[in-house]
Amino acid sequence: MSRFTPTTTIALTDADDTITMLTGLTYGQRADYADALMQIEGEYVTTYRRQLLMLEATIEGWSGPSFDGMPLIPANIAALDARDPLVQRAVAHAEAVIYPKAAPLTGDTSSTPSATPTTSTGDGTAS
């Protein structure tokens, strides 16, 4: 098992169009996303601004007649129609990638044996 983020993508399709998106972000890509959010510090960050940054961080490509050969650049991502069902699916996917719902840790999950467990006697000393 690798400890590195997989570099896989998923293709979201609708009729003749496809948006190709990352399925995970590395620490570096997450840092870039967080930095982009911080660059608008002091401003009220709207849902649309946050979604736009998420799309910029996760879209790897697009194809199909509706994209009309437009290059994948921030200005063209910003020009997408927020009401379009394919774009809405892309936003939902981006949010799931950037903000994954991880299960909370419970107990020690290390793979190395720990020291002999101790129990408290109630007076602050271990028995």
Side-chain angles (χ1 to χ4, degrees):
M1 177 178 138
S2 176
R3 298 199 186 272
F4 295 95
T5 304
T7 56
T8 57
T9 59
I10 188 170
L12 304 179
T13 59
D14 183 19
D16 296 326
D17 297 318
T18 300
I19 298 176
T20 304
M21 303 188 71
L22 295 171
T23 59
L25 293 182
T26 64
Y27 265 105
Q29 290 165 321
R30 288 180 189 284
D32 290 343
Y33 169 76
D35 288 347
L37 278 177
M38 294 302 292
Q39 297 211 1
I40 51 179
E41 182 182 351
E43 293 181 34
Y44 175 72
V45 180
T46 65
T47 298
Y48 288 112
R49 175 64 60 197
R50 185 178 55 81
Q51 289 174 348
L52 178 59
L53 293 173
M54 289 189 310
L55 289 174
E56 289 176 4
T58 57
I59 293 178
E60 282 289 293
W62 55 38
S63 62
S66 297
F67 292 107
D68 196 28
M70 299 293 283
L72 181 62
I73 59 173
N76 289 339
I77 294 172
L80 292 172
D81 184 352
R83 301 165 298 177
D84 181 88
L86 182 59
V87 173
Q88 290 174 353
R89 286 176 49 211
V91 168
H93 175 77
E95 188 160 24
V97 167
I98 292 176
Y99 300 109
K101 292 180 171 68
L105 294 178
T106 56
D108 183 10
T109 59
S110 68
S111 60
T112 57
S114 59
T116 306
T118 59
T119 58
S120 174
T121 60
D123 62 0
T125 62
S127 59

